[in-house]
Amino acid sequence: MKKSIVITGASGLVGSNLLATLNQDWSVIAISRTKDRLPLDNPLLEHSKLDLSSSWNTASLPETIDAVIHLAQSEHFREFPEFSENVFQVNTVTTLKLLDYARKAGAKTFIFASSGGIYGHGNQEFSEDLEICHKRDLGFYLGTKLCSEILAESYTPFMNIIVLRFFFLYGTGQKSTMLIPRLVKSVLEGKPITLHGEDGIRLNPTHVSDAVNSIIKALELEGSHKINVAGPEILSLRQIGEIIGQTVNKEPQFTVQLDSQPRHLVGDIHKMSDLLGAPKIKFQDGLKLLLGTSND
């Protein structure tokens, strides 16, 4: 018997790649504002056009469901305070609506896409066991993600709550305003990449295929978990720029601000590796996939 699943943010980077990867065991209700990037030729896919930033309800969703994957986030996440209500509506109010819908619809699993950014920054590799305290410099967007994690915890008696904390996602078709596409553009156009400190921040960027594989594995988990989803390599911003330069055959330019401290953000992936499988895509290989220069 086929299982049914609701996926928000279905036309986004992760959502569209997830839809292309899910096997035929799943009947999908894909929530997005547009049909862009949706595999509409899939007879097991139904599109539900909802604007999660507005006042909406779950009346159009199935009365019973096996799983909910909440990937949607506000496209205005950087525009605070002008779009604070939009961000809160999509990231937090919608999370609560979907949690209660999933409970009433008998869902076994609820997966929430959070962010590694909720840890703040520091020199260590951040693990899920770390107690997270809200800090003033966390920012509004990450505050809404942390708030949603707290809301989701309350629903653990009713279903498996899986919180996935993604670190610096990238992949083909990603918006040009995101980190890796911006860095690629800077190298191609000969614009300097600003480094705070000699080498800039350290991070472990995550290719979208590793993110998708983690989500699919998370659907099989029993119990509730918070899991970092990050890439296999820890790289400085300088190293990332140099890898981009090697790949596009252009020398990267850097501006070094030695009087500014880098805000490192590295996710510990031991729990990810144990429960969901270790990430496979190294940055240089993922970059070639993004640029369409891979031989695979």
Side-chain angles (χ1 to χ4, degrees), residues 2-233:
K2 292 191 184 300
K3 295 173 283 187
S4 57
I5 187 169
V6 166
I7 301 175
T8 72
S11 61
L13 174 67
V14 177
S16 59
N17 279 272
L18 176 62
L19 290 178
T21 308
L22 278 174
N23 63 33
Q24 298 297 303
D25 291 338
W26 291 97
S27 175
V28 179
I29 296 88
I31 296 178
S32 63
R33 288 179 301 168
T34 72
K35 296 181 179 181
D36 295 347
R37 303 172 70 177
L38 299 184
L40 298 177
D41 57 342
N42 182 349
L44 298 178
L45 185 142
E46 176 185 338
H47 179 244
S48 180
K49 183 178 180 180
L50 289 174
D51 181 359
L52 302 181
S53 67
S54 64
S55 179
W56 65 280
N57 60 60
T58 60
S60 63
L61 301 181
E63 291 186 4
T64 61
I65 202 75
D66 293 293
V68 173
I69 300 177
H70 183 25
L71 301 174
Q73 69 169 17
S74 170
E75 62 182 344
H76 300 291
F77 64 97
R78 287 195 181 97
E79 300 171 74
F80 174 83
E82 290 77 12
F83 286 90
S84 57
E85 186 174 345
N86 180 292
V87 175
F88 188 77
Q89 182 74 27
V90 177
N91 292 359
T92 306
V93 174
T94 287
T95 303
L96 179 57
K97 285 185 178 182
L98 288 170
L99 282 163
D100 212 46
Y101 160 72
R103 176 185 66 83
K104 293 174 181 175
K108 177 184 178 183
T109 299
F110 187 102
I111 297 176
F112 173 62
S114 187
S115 169
I118 64 170
Y119 291 112
H121 57 90
N123 294 321
Q124 75 270 44
E125 294 181 28
F126 291 100
S127 74
E128 299 87 348
D129 297 329
L130 183 71
E131 184 176 351
I132 297 175
C133 299
H134 182 268
K135 301 175 184 177
R136 184 176 294 179
D137 64 350
L138 191 63
F140 186 81
Y141 163 72
L142 291 171
T144 63
K145 287 294 188 182
L146 182 56
C147 181
S148 289
E149 286 199 17
I150 295 169
L151 293 176
E153 284 181 0
S154 299
Y155 284 79
T156 55
F158 307 107
M159 66 195 107
N160 300 326
I161 300 292
I162 314 296
V163 174
L164 301 180
R165 294 170 176 165
F166 293 104
F167 285 74
F168 298 100
L169 288 164
Y170 71 99
T172 305
Q174 188 175 33
K175 291 182 179 179
S176 60
T177 55
M178 304 306 286
L179 177 63
I180 301 303
R182 290 202 330 261
L183 294 174
V184 170
K185 183 179 180 182
S186 292
V187 174
L188 287 172
E189 295 181 354
K191 296 179 180 178
I193 296 170
T194 300
L195 303 178
H196 298 282
E198 184 62 37
D199 296 312
I201 65 169
R202 289 185 292 109
L203 58 149
N204 41 350
T206 314
H207 189 262
V208 64
S209 63
D210 282 325
V212 165
N213 289 337
S214 293
I215 293 170
I216 292 173
K217 288 291 186 181
L219 287 168
E220 303 171 3
L221 290 179
E222 294 294 337
S224 296
H225 306 272
K226 295 175 182 176
I227 309 171
N228 293 337
V229 178
E233 299 171 291

